[in-house]
Amino acid sequence: MDENEKLGILAIGHGSKLPYNKEVVIDIANRIAERHEDVVVKAGFMEKNEPTVEEALQSFEGTGVSKIAAVPVFLASGVHITQDIPEILGLDPETKKGRIKLNGSEISIVYGNPLGSDELLAELVYNRACEALD
């Protein structure tokens, strides 16, 4: 990324009637922001929670971001990942890229993959198993 660019990250959660689910996504967003102070991080939700994805996207207004990476905080792909979120973000279905009006100009938005299978997640599952066994 160009050193003159300011990155925004939109962490997208599913949303739930249970408050804990929202809190987890917000906490993940906050942890990213704490570790990467030069990045503006927001969280938005597909359903049942606020801010919505659209509201979270608009909340980058005035932050000076020049590019946004939207990342679903979901384990695997489903209809929300492959269709709903890209449609809400106005992304090209092939490239997973788009542009939005923000700060009086158009900025680019890119779309990340869901968490998927990863060594970090495997280790976390192992840690949770060990906690349960203690």
Side-chain angles (χ1 to χ4, degrees):
M1 194 165 101
D2 184 310
E3 65 183 48
N4 296 327
E5 287 190 309
K6 185 172 184 180
L7 176 63
I9 295 176
L10 174 58
I12 301 172
H14 186 276
S16 170
K17 290 185 278 186
L18 302 173
Y20 177 72
N21 289 285
K22 177 180 179 179
E23 292 165 8
V24 167
V25 176
I26 299 282
D27 188 57
I28 289 169
N30 289 340
R31 287 171 187 256
I32 296 167
E34 287 169 10
R35 291 185 107 180
H36 305 278
E37 294 175 5
D38 55 333
V39 176
V40 178
V41 186
K42 306 286 184 175
F45 300 89
M46 286 299 304
E47 50 190 65
K48 295 182 178 65
N49 293 126
E50 293 183 342
T52 64
V53 172
E54 297 94 329
E55 290 166 346
L57 197 54
Q58 288 307 309
S59 73
F60 283 102
E61 183 75 44
T63 63
V65 298
S66 51
K67 185 176 228 174
I68 296 171
V71 181
V73 185
F74 289 57
L75 272 180
S77 276
V79 174
H80 280 327
I81 302 294
T82 60
Q83 294 174 18
D84 300 338
I85 296 171
E87 188 175 298
I88 290 168
L89 299 176
L91 303 177
D92 178 301
E94 299 297 315
T95 65
K96 295 184 177 182
K97 295 179 181 179
R99 300 191 66 73
I100 67 162
K101 273 198 178 291
L102 213 58
N103 304 317
S105 61
E106 278 199 353
I107 66 166
S108 65
I109 181 168
V110 295
Y111 188 45
N113 291 320
L115 302 177
S117 179
D118 185 279
E119 190 62 40
L120 292 170
L121 285 172
E123 190 63 22
L124 181 58
V125 170
Y126 175 79
N127 290 344
R128 294 295 184 251
C130 291
E131 288 171 4
L133 293 167
D134 280 346

